[in-house]
Amino acid sequence: LRALEARVVEEASRLEEEGQQIRLQLQQQLLAEAQEVGRLLQQHTERAIGQALLGHARNAATKSRAKDRDDFQRTLTEAAVESVYVTSTGVDRLVQAY
């Protein structure tokens, strides 16, 4: 009976150690997976921010080009109107060409 009891105690101790090892391995695996998720999330966030900044820059550039084009057309029209040799029809054609 004592031998059986000693064996049970020994087996319980072994199982406890094995359980601790398994818990440690699971914790390490969970930590590694959490770090990988954090890395992937950071990459995704960086890409999303980059795309948003790029879109904003494109919009700003498009608006700037449109404004420059409008300013050029307005200046061209004003210069043409000031000329004594240009008619209203000629100004319209000139503006449309640009």
Side-chain angles (χ1 to χ4, degrees), residues 5 9 12 61 71 84 88 93:
E5 188 178 292
V9 168
D71 289 346
V84 294
S88 174
R93 266 191 263 128

Side-chain angles (χ1 to χ4, degrees), residues 61-82:
T62 299
K63 288 177 184 176
S64 176
R65 282 194 299 269
K67 183 181 180 297
D68 290 347
R69 186 178 59 243
D70 291 345
D71 289 346
F72 177 71
Q73 285 180 347
R74 190 172 15 267
T75 302
L76 185 61
T77 302
E78 289 171 1
V81 168
E82 290 173 2

Side-chain angles (χ1 to χ4, degrees), residues 24-87:
L24 179 60
Q25 289 172 352
L26 289 174
Q27 286 173 346
Q28 289 172 342
Q29 183 179 355
L30 182 62
L31 178 61
E33 289 175 2
Q35 288 172 336
E36 179 65 13
V37 166
R39 187 185 66 76
L40 292 173
L41 183 61
Q42 182 176 356
Q43 282 180 345
H44 175 74
T45 303
E46 288 171 355
R47 265 191 229 115
I49 290 171
Q51 288 174 349
L53 290 173
L54 183 59
H56 179 72
R58 283 182 179 150
N59 287 341
T62 299
K63 288 177 184 176
S64 176
R65 282 194 299 269
K67 183 181 180 297
D68 290 347
R69 186 178 59 243
D70 291 345
D71 289 346
F72 177 71
Q73 285 180 347
R74 190 172 15 267
T75 302
L76 185 61
T77 302
E78 289 171 1
V81 168
E82 290 173 2
S83 171
V84 294
Y85 300 108
V86 178
T87 64

